[in-house]
Amino acid sequence: MKTNALNSKLMKTSKFFMIALFSLSLITSCSDDDDNGPAPVLEEELITNVTLTFVNDADPTDIVVLASVAPDGQDGTSTQSITGAFTAGASYSLGLSLTNALENPADDVLNDDVIPAADEHFFVYAVNGINLAVSRDSDDIGGSGDTRLGVNTTWVAGNASTGNVQIILVHEPENADDSNAFGSVTGGSEDLNITFTGVEIE
């Protein structure tokens, strides 16, 4: 009888010990999962004002300005304006301005955030209907991967035409390619994606 009681007591103690070990392993496992945490969310730059200023290399008075103002950031509503028209056959240097006017004073996003982290960014351009060609300048800043960021670019206007000009700023692309100077990417998140319609070459 005493032996049976002892065996029963040992079995209960053993079961309790096994349950305790199992519970401990679950707690440790959950703790490890919490340490790893979810994949980090890419933080997009907050940009309210985007201005593309094209200056004719042979005539500095010949200027085309494409501007977009989005008071709540680029995911909100925006107002666009186009000033001037490209001259057929002319070459233009592009000056970019990206600011966050919600800060006081306004934050220079391009020079304070994008360029210092150039390896995490890449500009993609596209045109549709308008005869514009682009090249990334030799003094352009190194961007994501072995690419040029797309801050310093030259644009050549072809024959008279009207169409769209698109600019996209990608944050932490998986792959960036500038073998075509307009650029292409896979992955990442968009800090801005703006299409200007009705741009003209005369």
Side-chain angles (χ1 to χ4, degrees), residues 2-202:
K2 287 184 180 178
T3 303
N4 287 341
L6 183 59
N7 285 343
S8 175
K9 192 172 183 180
L10 284 172
M11 286 180 67
K12 286 181 181 177
T13 303
S14 178
K15 282 182 182 178
F16 176 78
F17 183 69
M18 293 297 290
I19 289 169
L21 276 178
F22 180 70
S23 299
L24 185 61
S25 70
L26 279 178
I27 292 168
T28 304
S29 175
C30 290
S31 176
D32 289 345
D33 290 343
D34 291 342
D35 290 343
N36 293 334
V41 177
L42 300 180
E43 290 187 14
E44 298 177 2
E45 312 294 354
L46 182 57
I47 302 167
T48 60
N49 297 56
V50 178
T51 306
L52 288 71
T53 303
F54 299 85
V55 180
N56 187 325
D57 294 332
D59 178 5
T61 65
D62 179 11
I63 300 172
V64 179
V65 179
L66 312 181
S68 174
V69 178
D72 298 319
Q74 291 302 313
D75 292 333
T77 57
S78 63
T79 302
Q80 297 180 5
S81 63
I82 300 171
T83 304
F86 290 94
T87 301
S91 174
Y92 294 77
S93 294
L94 172 61
L96 284 175
S97 173
L98 313 178
T99 59
N100 174 10
L102 295 176
E103 297 289 335
N104 188 15
D107 179 25
D108 183 346
V109 178
L110 181 64
N111 291 301
D112 293 346
D113 301 303
V114 175
I115 290 176
D119 60 339
E120 299 176 5
H121 294 89
F122 187 71
F123 282 98
V124 176
Y125 299 97
V127 296
N128 181 24
I130 187 168
N131 192 356
L132 281 171
V134 64
S135 61
R136 296 181 186 237
D137 298 345
S138 59
D139 65 347
D140 195 9
I141 296 163
S144 177
D146 188 22
T147 64
R148 293 176 181 171
L149 180 59
V151 171
N152 300 325
T153 58
T154 298
W155 297 68
V156 177
N159 296 331
S161 52
T162 302
N164 303 339
V165 175
Q166 183 179 23
I167 178 173
I168 305 170
L169 174 58
V170 181
H171 190 162
E172 295 190 356
E174 292 175 13
N175 292 291
D177 183 2
D178 64 358
S179 56
N180 177 327
F182 284 103
S184 62
V185 297
T186 57
S189 62
E190 294 179 350
D191 286 330
L192 65 86
N193 186 337
I194 302 170
T195 300
F196 297 93
T197 61
V199 183
E200 295 182 327
I201 298 175
E202 297 177 343

